[in-house]
Amino acid sequence: MDFMTYFTGMTVGLSLIVAIGAQNAFVLQQGLRNEFVFAVCLACALSDAILIVVGVTSLQQIVEVLPWLDPVMRYGGAAFLIWYGAKSFMSALRGSSALEVSDSLSTSFAKTMAMGLALTWLNPHVYLDTVVLLGTVSTRFPEHRFEFAAGAVTGSFLFFFSLGYGARWLRPLFSRPLSWRILEAVIGCVMWLIAFKLLSRV
């Protein structure tokens, strides 16, 4: 097993999933409320795992049939990452918001799971991150796609369960705008680094 590729997949997967979004805010909210935390984290992580496997395995096959798709996906993905990184840097420089978690009344298990799945499967950014971007980056490791996918899936499980069960300790941190600004700056650096790797691939 190529542990370097596995670590790369985990790092890239974590870098993409850690970006602030509705899905992460929902998992954080459930963790703070201590409601259905395991089920919500598992549903989000398994959904990501399915999409990651589809991206890493099927995207390469599609590219073999449509060779022109590889440069389109590579340059398109790099352009998106450059834009995303610039957006993160702007948020780091000018951002002043903090994540607010609702203290609304409890909801049923079915409604909670439906909301979590909807925030995953109905969110186009999830497909872009897992299927397109991770699938495209995985083409840099044609002989070790399994390790890359396994690393990305591991990163997804680590993130969701850490966020869900670590929410009680994260709340004071996330209530500070400076913390989000630092996180946004880190995300911007990672996005530009990934874009550079995509553009420099031969």
Side-chain angles (χ1 to χ4, degrees):
M1 180 174 180
D2 190 332
F3 287 100
M4 184 59 67
T5 303
Y6 174 86
F7 181 75
T8 300
M10 184 187 300
T11 302
V12 175
L14 282 171
S15 299
L16 292 173
I17 200 174
V18 75
I20 304 167
Q23 184 189 45
N24 295 348
F26 177 76
V27 174
L28 178 62
Q29 181 183 56
Q30 292 304 122
L32 291 170
R33 294 166 61 179
N34 196 29
E35 289 183 352
F36 317 121
V37 179
F38 180 82
V40 168
C41 294
L42 183 62
C44 290
L46 285 176
S47 297
D48 263 19
I50 293 172
L51 293 172
I52 289 169
V53 172
V54 169
V56 172
T57 59
S58 301
L59 186 64
Q60 182 65 24
Q61 295 174 354
I62 295 173
V63 168
E64 291 176 359
V65 178
L66 304 173
W68 54 266
L69 188 61
D70 177 60
V72 169
M73 298 288 281
R74 181 153 50 96
Y75 290 116
F80 172 80
L81 290 171
I82 292 172
W83 171 82
Y84 198 101
K87 182 173 176 291
S88 295
F89 283 126
M90 291 301 296
S91 296
L93 291 173
R94 302 188 300 185
S96 60
S97 61
L99 184 62
E100 297 179 357
V101 180
S102 172
D103 294 322
S104 58
L105 296 178
S106 301
T107 57
S108 67
F109 176 78
K111 290 182 179 179
T112 299
M113 296 305 298
M115 177 61 69
L117 292 174
L119 289 173
T120 299
W121 292 94
L122 299 181
N123 184 356
H125 290 290
V126 172
Y127 294 92
L128 181 62
D129 290 347
T130 55
V131 177
V132 177
L133 291 180
L134 284 175
T136 301
V137 175
S138 71
T139 61
R140 296 180 55 239
F141 311 97
E143 303 298 326
H144 302 285
R145 287 186 296 167
F146 172 80
E147 289 92 333
F148 182 88
V153 169
T154 301
S156 180
F157 272 82
L158 284 175
F159 176 80
F160 282 120
F161 278 92
S162 297
L163 182 61
Y165 284 100
R168 69 189 68 175
W169 293 284
L170 293 173
R171 186 167 194 172
L173 176 64
F174 286 159
S175 65
R176 304 171 183 173
L178 178 61
S179 299
W180 286 121
R181 296 177 67 180
I182 294 174
L183 178 61
E184 291 284 8
V186 172
I187 292 173
C189 291
V190 173
M191 294 299 104
W192 279 11
L193 178 61
I194 298 173
F196 173 77
K197 289 183 178 179
L198 285 177
L199 292 175
S200 63
R201 183 171 64 88
V202 294

